[in-house]
């Protein structure tokens, strides 16, 4: 009964969050990064991903607890529903929580250390100011591509950032998906496709390698490269 009353009284979304520079700004300067999306290729190319992790010892960023079997260093949640569904799967590393999720929800569902992942919920041109991403980047993977820059990456790889298509599997995860979810996914995919060239331009400006993909992807801007 108490939890139900809290749910009625406490907001489930912070609509105008106060954004401050993240604590992880330049925390991993000069390191290689691997970003894990939730696409089916995460399962199909599991051995490829393991070899990459073993040989390169990257900092691993996971979107929505994708690839928890690879022991990510950070797991991001920018959507409350995804946090409530999957936070319990995170047994190590640090949660990166979007600014619109209230702290009372975080404390209810997260079992370990967490930090804010600040970003501006706007369809503006891509930029980063004081460690704060100044647009939505479309998808969680896009925000993590930006976060790797904020953390000080020297090169960035992705896996499981497959993209979506009608009639194709949309996720390696067993998620509860409402009827409108694929349509929304396709919409955010197009937004990320539009922002990717701007993110890559910032990579080039900073002299950061990549982003490259270890697994097949529908994003032409993420070339699939065999890691040696």
């Amino acid at each position: 009964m108490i939890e139900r009353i809290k749910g009625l009284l406490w907001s489930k979304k912070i609509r105008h969050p106060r954004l401050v520079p993240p604590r992880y700004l330049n925390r991993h300067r000069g390191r290689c990064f691997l970003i894990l999306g939730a696409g089916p290729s995460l399962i199909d190319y599991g051995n490829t991903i393991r070899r990459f992790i073993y040989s390169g010892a990257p900092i691993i960023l996971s979107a929505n607890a994708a690839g928890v079997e690879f022991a990510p260093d950070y797991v991001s949640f920018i959507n409350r529903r995804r946090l409530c569904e999957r936070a319990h799967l995170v047994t190590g590393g640090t949660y990166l929580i979007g600014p619109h999720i209230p702290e009372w929800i975080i404390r209810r569902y997260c079992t370990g250390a967490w930090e804010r992942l600040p970003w501006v919920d706007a369809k503006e041109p891509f930029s980063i100011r004081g460690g704060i991403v100044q647009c939505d980047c479309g998808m969680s993977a896009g925000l993590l591509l930006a976060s790797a820059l904020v953390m000080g990456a020297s090169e960035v790889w992705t896996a499981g950032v497959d993209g979506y298509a009608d009639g194709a599997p949309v996720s390696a995860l067993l998620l509860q998906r409402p009827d409108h979810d694929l349509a929304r996914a396709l919409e955010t995919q197009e937004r990320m496709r539009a922002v990717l060239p701007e993110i890559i331009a910032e990579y080039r400006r900073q002299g950061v390698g990549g982003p490259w993909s270890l697994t097949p992807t529908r994003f032409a801007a993420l070339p699939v490269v065999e890691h040696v």
Side-chain angles (χ1 to χ4, degrees):
M1 177 63 73
I2 293 177
E3 292 298 326
R4 183 171 180 274
I5 293 173
K6 287 181 179 179
L8 292 172
L9 295 178
W10 295 355
S11 173
K12 293 184 177 181
K13 181 175 182 179
I14 303 172
R15 300 195 178 277
H16 303 288
R18 177 174 175 267
L19 303 178
V20 298
R23 288 181 289 174
Y24 53 74
L25 179 63
N26 292 322
R27 179 181 290 165
H28 301 293
R29 173 65 61 185
R31 294 289 302 276
C32 172
F33 277 66
L34 173 62
I35 293 169
L36 301 178
S41 69
L42 204 65
I43 295 174
D44 298 338
Y45 289 78
N47 288 335
T48 298
I49 297 168
R50 289 184 185 89
R51 286 194 297 270
F52 176 83
I53 294 171
Y54 180 79
S55 64
I59 300 295
I60 303 175
L61 308 182
S62 160
N64 297 315
V68 289
E69 66 271 24
F70 301 116
D73 299 283
Y74 299 91
V75 178
S76 73
F77 291 100
I78 63 172
N79 177 281
R80 176 180 57 84
R81 179 163 59 91
R82 291 286 180 258
L83 174 69
C84 296
E85 288 175 358
R86 299 190 58 80
H88 69 282
L89 298 177
V90 181
T91 58
T94 301
Y95 296 88
L96 296 180
I97 310 295
H100 301 281
I101 300 177
E103 188 170 329
W104 73 268
I105 293 179
I106 299 170
R107 296 193 179 280
R108 177 176 177 181
Y109 288 96
C110 296
T111 57
W114 63 277
E115 302 178 30
R116 286 292 188 187
L117 191 167
W119 56 282
V120 178
D121 188 11
K123 289 179 170 53
E124 299 292 336
F126 177 80
S127 65
I128 299 172
R129 300 176 193 166
I132 300 172
V133 182
Q134 298 296 306
C135 73
D136 59 6
C137 296
M139 298 168 61
S140 295
L143 280 172
L144 291 183
L145 285 170
S147 298
L149 285 177
V150 175
M151 292 185 180
S154 61
E155 64 178 66
V156 179
W157 297 75
T158 67
V161 185
D162 299 10
Y164 308 104
D166 285 313
V170 295
S171 177
L173 311 178
L174 297 176
L175 300 176
Q176 297 176 0
R177 292 182 174 274
D179 293 339
H180 67 271
D181 203 48
L182 178 57
R184 172 61 177 161
L186 291 170
E187 178 184 331
T188 58
Q189 172 173 274
E190 290 310 305
R191 170 60 180 159
M192 178 168 156
R193 203 186 303 278
V195 175
L196 264 176
E198 300 172 7
I199 296 176
I200 292 170
E202 183 63 18
Y203 271 57
R204 301 293 174 267
R205 190 186 74 80
Q206 295 192 28
V208 175
W212 304 294
S213 181
L214 293 171
T215 60
T217 175
R218 293 183 175 88
F219 292 101
L222 295 176
V224 178
V225 176
E226 183 177 352
H227 181 261
V228 180

